[in-house]
Amino acid sequence: MSPASTGASTTVAAVAPASVPDSRMAPGSPGYRRMSLALFLAGVATFALLYCTQALLPLISGEFAATASQASWTVAAATGGLALFVLPMSALSERFGRRTVMTASLTVAVTVGILVPFAPSLGWLVVLRGLQGAALAGLPASATAYLAEEVRPRALVTAIGLFVAGNSVGGMSGRVITGWVAQEWGWRVAVGAVGVLAVGCAVAFRLLLPAPRHFTPGSLRPRLLLGTVRDHLANPLLRRLYAIGALFMTVFGGVYTVIGYRLTEAPFSLPQGIVGSIFLVYLVGTVSASTAGRLVGRLGRRGALYLAAGTTAAGLLLTLAGTLPLVLAGLVLITTGFFAGHAVASSAVSSTATTGRAQASALYQSAYYVGSSAGSMAGAAAYHAGGWAATVGVGVLAVLGVVTITLLGTRAARASALRARLA
């Protein structure tokens, strides 16, 4: 379908003659630096809010007399809400603009975040977390679409990697802050502290993000939206990328939902503050995501995905050890592999979709967060049934899925190249 028929936006540079200078942002320019910082902070706020209860699940279980599986719904509801609403929010961003939708999403999410600490029961906590996830849905797909339109193609993987790096910093800071604050004042005060952090990030984001220069409003008509979605789902490469994102996140969601239970129980018996500090390993995710562009340049997209999957699998197996240093080393490898794989897959979606980029990114984000919800619930259920080894088993199966799908893509690319040579 053409951009006009789908209601998707297109960039000026995509249709401009070759002689017209590319006015999109390039690394080193003031606008690029402001944009990078703004979206980095948006990523921090998004992941800090989205996973603010994950490190606190043992405390939440204790207060509400809930099992690990029941408490994990405070994570799954947030990621599930985001997965359900990311596509409708992407349609709004096509009509009203990326910056407008991202600003509104953060505003509602931080408002709900201030209410979360006052939840009177586990049920209400899950409801508020679901609303928070739904509100945040306007940010991920809009951010990648904004980058695809406003940043020069050669810098796109790096720019998206910086946004993903903000996600890793947000995930880390939210968990570390909540761990130490909860140890002194309880989980409610800890969640409130994350809400205050997110407010600051949201304000700075709105002040820093440059106004879009290459956005063209699209249509809100459902028929056109469904046509765009259908076209994306008919693309074999996009389908593979969506599945890869979901499977990587299944591993990550399962591991980090359950790790707090494992580390607070024997033989480790760590206090809550130390358990929260374990999430400092997210720093390696910041590095691996921000360097994903160079990794793709050296190994190619599929080579980078194979490396990310292998690193993740090695980390999963290492966490089976009974000593804390080896468990931490395993978490480092899991985090490195996950963030590299996510940055590679999400940037490939943005570069593959030439029209309806917000919808293409939204479908990826939806699959990604469905994987998070599934991983959180499956990982917690497996831990309840068979301990940490069962949770690792769930993760290994997901990694095997990534490898299988990437292998199918490799074979499809070779077959296509062979057909081209014979033609």
Side-chain angles (χ1 to χ4, degrees):
M1 283 185 159
S2 67
S5 64
T6 61
S9 63
T10 185
T11 63
V12 171
V15 298
S19 60
V20 177
D22 193 338
S23 59
R24 288 173 290 185
M25 289 181 281
S29 66
Y32 185 91
R33 288 192 291 268
R34 288 180 56 206
M35 175 276 299
S36 297
L37 179 57
L39 290 180
F40 180 86
L41 292 174
V44 169
T46 299
F47 257 50
L49 289 172
L50 197 60
Y51 293 101
C52 64
T53 62
Q54 195 171 55
L56 305 174
L57 293 181
L59 296 179
I60 293 172
S61 288
E63 177 169 334
F64 295 118
T67 65
S69 296
Q70 292 169 334
S72 70
W73 274 101
T74 64
V75 179
T79 54
L82 193 152
L84 287 173
F85 282 86
V86 67
L87 186 57
M89 287 292 192
S90 74
L92 292 178
S93 82
E94 291 281 9
R95 178 65 182 87
F96 299 107
R98 321 301 187 194
R99 190 171 68 161
T100 299
V101 170
M102 287 189 284
T103 301
S105 290
L106 280 177
T107 300
V108 175
V110 298
T111 301
V112 176
I114 300 301
L115 299 176
V116 167
F118 302 100
S121 65
L122 181 61
W124 274 109
L125 180 58
V126 169
V127 169
L128 288 173
R129 295 284 291 141
L131 291 174
Q132 196 168 44
L136 287 169
L139 201 134
S142 298
T144 52
Y146 175 93
L147 289 171
E149 292 166 351
E150 305 298 331
V151 175
R152 295 184 184 181
R154 289 186 178 180
L156 181 60
V157 175
T158 300
I160 291 180
L162 289 171
F163 175 63
V164 174
N167 293 345
S168 70
V169 170
M172 175 203 69
S173 59
R175 291 163 171 91
V176 173
I177 290 171
T178 56
W180 285 105
V181 173
Q183 183 171 305
E184 296 296 327
W185 295 289
W187 71 266
R188 295 178 184 274
V189 176
V191 171
V194 170
V196 172
L197 169 68
V199 169
C201 289
V203 172
F205 160 81
R206 186 61 181 83
L207 294 175
L208 287 170
L209 189 69
R213 300 177 60 189
H214 301 283
F215 170 74
T216 302
S219 171
L220 278 176
R221 286 180 288 178
R223 184 176 180 180
L224 298 183
L225 173 62
L226 291 175
T228 303
V229 170
R230 184 173 58 250
D231 287 348
H232 290 328
L233 292 178
N235 186 319
L237 174 55
L238 287 177
R239 289 201 304 268
R240 290 194 293 269
L241 292 170
Y242 296 154
I244 286 170
L247 290 168
F248 265 124
M249 196 55 168
T250 297
V251 180
F252 201 66
V255 165
Y256 278 102
T257 294
V258 176
I259 193 65
Y261 288 98
R262 188 187 186 204
L263 295 179
T264 55
E265 296 172 356
F268 305 108
S269 303
L270 299 179
Q272 187 64 45
I274 298 298
V275 170
S277 296
I278 296 299
F279 291 92
L280 284 169
V281 298
Y282 266 50
L283 287 173
V284 301
T286 304
V287 175
S288 66
S290 60
T291 58
R294 290 198 294 271
L295 187 64
V296 172
R298 292 179 180 178
L299 302 177
R301 183 176 65 241
R302 287 182 292 275
L305 289 173
Y306 284 129
L307 180 60
T311 303
T312 303
L316 284 167
L317 297 177
L318 198 56
T319 61
L320 292 171
T323 60
L324 186 59
L326 290 179
V327 172
L328 293 179
L331 291 175
V332 167
L333 291 178
I334 292 169
T335 305
T336 300
F338 162 74
F339 275 104
H342 170 42
V344 171
S346 60
S347 61
V349 168
S350 294
S351 60
T352 300
T354 57
T355 62
R357 286 194 179 100
Q359 282 74 45
S361 297
L363 288 169
Y364 175 83
Q365 296 293 337
S366 182
Y368 175 80
Y369 286 109
V370 165
S372 178
S373 294
S376 297
M377 293 185 289
Y383 185 75
H384 180 74
W388 181 253
T391 300
V392 168
V394 171
V396 169
L397 288 175
V399 172
L400 289 175
V402 170
V403 173
T404 300
I405 293 169
T406 306
L407 181 60
L408 291 174
T410 301
R411 290 180 176 177
R414 289 175 178 172
S416 178
L418 179 60
R419 288 193 299 270
R421 287 198 299 267
L422 295 177

